[in-house]
Amino acid sequence: MSKIVRFHRLGGPEVLQIDDIEVREPGAGEVRIKVRALGLNRAEAMYRSGQYTFTPEMPAILGYEAAGTIERVGEGVTGYVVGDEVNVIPAFSFADYGLYGELAVAPIHALVRQPQGMTSVEAAGTWMQFITAYGALIDIGDLQKGETVLIRAASSSVGLAAIQIANMIGALPIALTRTSEKRQALLDAGAAHVIATQEQDLVAEVSRITGGKGARMAFDPVGGPEVANILRALCFLGIFFQYGALDTADMSIPVMEVLGKDLTIRGYQLFEITQDPERLDRAKAFISTGLENGALRPLIAKTFALEQIVEAHRYMESNTQIGKIVIEI
């Protein structure tokens, strides 16, 4: 029997409960992992509350990221053996797999060997954030040295990852945050500039920073009416990535701005990368290089025990953290 986090109804963090259940043996192309740490993600809160892209079947498991040790291997598994330290990246559906627990089954296409020199806590908080940012900025957007990228919700784990990736390639990351409260923390995290959108004129500030040219790219998990000003701050042929919906209201689009600058507005999910083997391999290589040379490093906001999963989700939804929240087992 193993302690597994599940929920039996939709709702807030309080619906999460720890059940003692028997975790199945791994099937073909799968491994079973003794989990040491779990990374928390907004998608899991959305799934738990019924705001995700599909409705859970109860009782539901969840969890996209984990670090641990392979405890069993299924039929046909090659390249991995019992005892290997691995990380699990989001490359599957919650309908099929979930990692919140002491033991978890995962498909081998979602595995990566744990980088040397990283703790399980750091590793569990690495792959979702860096692959998400890499996919938009590098794989699709082809961000180049000297170009400017606007990073909204910059104090989130993905926002911080985007700052680091931009710096790694010599681009200029501008952090967007609602107030000045997190300004110094974002500068310390590598942001070249910080704009508090509720206190400053976003378009005027971007114009000043870029010498009137505008930013080449924007990376946004929020959406809503503020999108209009972000689009106004982009340059000719700029690209806007929407990778989340923290504000579920319809986005405001200034049509003449889009037409006049030939802007691209693009929806994006990391599964576009993680479910394509070639693109995922390139992402792993890019991120591994950054981890090895120190250009990339996850910032851990706080750790919790598995028994504190409800408190951990409440903390995630408080929006007060800077960096990744991790459950340590």
Side-chain angles (χ1 to χ4, degrees):
M1 303 297 285
S2 178
K3 295 186 183 300
I4 304 297
V5 176
R6 301 194 296 181
F7 57 101
H8 298 249
R9 59 188 173 89
L10 300 176
E14 69 279 357
V15 304
L16 297 174
Q17 65 183 62
I18 297 176
D19 296 333
D20 288 314
I21 65 173
E22 186 174 345
V23 177
R24 66 176 176 85
E25 292 289 324
E30 296 177 334
V31 298
R32 195 167 72 184
I33 298 167
K34 181 177 175 59
V35 178
R36 300 189 184 282
L38 304 161
L40 300 195
N41 296 285
R42 290 281 180 177
E44 292 145 12
M46 295 176 70
Y47 185 60
R48 181 210 71 219
S49 61
Q51 298 177 321
Y52 204 52
T53 54
F54 63 92
T55 302
E57 291 188 13
M58 305 299 177
I61 56 176
L62 73 172
Y64 270 139
E65 286 185 285
T69 304
I70 294 178
E71 182 244 14
R72 294 275 198 281
V73 295
E75 182 182 351
V77 170
T78 60
Y80 294 99
V81 297
V82 172
D84 282 348
E85 291 190 349
V86 295
N87 305 154
V88 186
I89 61 178
F92 49 82
S93 169
F94 287 143
D96 301 318
Y97 301 97
L99 306 176
Y100 279 18
E102 295 174 329
L103 288 178
V105 174
I108 58 172
H109 71 263
L111 299 186
V112 61
R113 295 188 184 280
Q114 183 160 308
Q116 290 188 354
M118 295 193 79
T119 66
S120 294
V121 167
E122 290 172 327
T126 290
W127 296 96
M128 165 73 96
Q129 60 174 307
F130 285 115
I131 290 178
T132 301
Y134 162 89
L137 273 61
I138 306 301
D139 184 280
I140 303 168
D142 194 27
L143 186 67
Q144 296 293 310
K145 180 178 180 179
E147 292 183 332
T148 301
V149 54
L150 306 180
I151 302 168
R152 196 174 181 193
S155 60
S156 68
S157 60
V158 176
L160 295 170
I163 289 172
Q164 291 185 28
I165 287 174
N167 283 326
M168 180 175 168
I169 65 168
L172 188 77
I174 299 179
L176 306 185
T177 185
R178 287 175 296 177
T179 70
S180 297
E181 182 181 359
K182 297 178 180 178
R183 180 184 298 276
Q184 189 57 53
L186 289 168
L187 292 171
D188 293 343
H193 302 274
V194 177
I195 299 175
T197 57
Q198 291 180 359
E199 302 170 7
Q200 298 172 275
D201 185 322
L202 170 62
V203 179
E205 284 298 303
V206 173
S207 178
R208 178 186 63 80
I209 292 167
T210 62
K213 182 180 179 181
R216 216 274 282 178
M217 187 181 298
F219 186 52
D220 182 5
V222 182
E226 185 64 25
V227 169
N229 278 333
I230 296 174
L231 293 172
R232 292 186 181 102
L234 295 181
C235 68
F236 181 70
L237 295 178
I239 182 168
F240 173 90
F241 285 101
Q242 187 71 43
Y243 73 96
L246 296 179
D247 186 337
T248 56
D250 288 342
M251 295 189 301
S252 179
I253 307 297
V255 176
M256 297 311 294
E257 197 79 16
V258 173
L259 291 174
K261 294 180 181 177
D262 292 342
L263 301 181
T264 297
I265 301 173
R266 195 187 194 287
Y268 163 68
Q269 299 181 75
L270 89 160
F271 299 110
E272 183 175 344
I273 307 299
T274 63
Q275 294 182 354
D276 182 319
E278 292 184 3
R279 295 171 80 182
L280 179 55
D281 283 345
R282 291 196 295 269
K284 289 178 180 178
F286 180 94
I287 294 163
S288 294
T289 297
L291 293 171
E292 289 169 4
N293 65 26
L296 305 180
R297 201 74 183 180
L299 176 61
I300 306 302
K302 193 172 183 179
T303 61
F304 292 83
L306 185 65
E307 292 73 20
Q308 297 173 300
I309 189 65
V310 171
E311 293 93 325
H313 266 240
R314 285 183 178 140
Y315 181 59
M316 178 167 59
E317 294 186 345
S318 73
N319 296 320
T320 58
Q321 75 276 13
I322 298 176
K324 193 78 170 182
I325 303 167
V326 176
I327 302 292
E328 188 171 13
I329 301 178

